[in-house]
Amino acid sequence: MHTVVERELDIDLVLSPDHSIPVPARLTYCADDPYAVRITFHVTSLAPVTWTFARDLLVDGVFRPAGEGDVRVWPARVGGRTMVCLGLTSPEGEAVLLAQANVVTGWLERTMRVVPPGAEAELLGLEEGLRVLLAAESG
């Protein structure tokens, strides 16, 4: 299955508590890699930057703080708007980004229509692959 769900949006890069700048971004979900989501920043530049992490992390982070280490997601209210915060950490530094929650949740709902939560392993054929592997070892 090669179904891809994409959404272009501007995400605000927080520079200080009072200042942020919009960054063009793209959310991508591919049914061939059903556990993962990708977010690509600077999609209009010659050197876009892509981060890949678990779809479940993003789903959880819409409702409550989620994640440890390099990728963290949490809900917030900013200027009366419901937002999703994305905290990214790399050897080059840290960034906090804000996206409108309704845009992120709408896109996530589309991904869940393509591959419902809990159906990822079935889509990958993990059970069948395990059966074949175990049958080969015992035979």
Side-chain angles (χ1 to χ4, degrees):
M1 179 185 296
H2 296 291
T3 303
V4 175
V5 179
E6 290 187 316
R7 175 68 155 93
E8 299 221 358
L9 68 159
D10 279 336
I11 292 183
D12 291 334
L13 173 62
V14 178
L15 301 175
S16 72
D18 298 325
H19 188 65
S20 63
I21 57 170
V23 176
R26 179 184 304 117
L27 292 166
T28 304
Y29 177 79
C30 183
D32 290 346
D33 190 4
Y35 289 106
V37 296
R38 288 173 183 73
I39 186 164
T40 302
F41 302 101
H42 304 290
V43 293
T44 57
S45 75
L46 293 176
V49 175
T50 301
W51 283 71
T52 304
F53 52 93
R55 177 174 71 167
D56 286 348
L57 173 63
L58 188 55
V59 170
D60 289 346
V62 167
F63 301 104
R64 65 191 148 278
E68 297 177 12
D70 294 346
V71 180
R72 298 169 328 282
V73 184
W74 65 96
R77 299 271 308 162
V78 177
R81 298 184 306 165
T82 304
M83 306 295 282
V84 175
C85 299
L86 182 61
L88 303 175
T89 304
S90 76
E92 287 79 32
E94 296 183 10
V96 174
L97 301 118
L98 296 169
Q100 292 183 33
N102 63 333
V103 172
V104 175
T105 57
W107 176 79
L108 281 169
E109 288 170 2
R110 289 177 46 215
T111 73
M112 290 179 199
R113 285 193 291 274
V114 172
V115 179
E120 298 92 349
E122 183 180 312
L123 184 68
L124 291 174
L126 295 177
E127 292 293 325
E128 180 59 27
L130 208 67
R131 253 192 302 283
V132 169
L133 181 63
L134 293 174
E137 285 186 8
S138 65

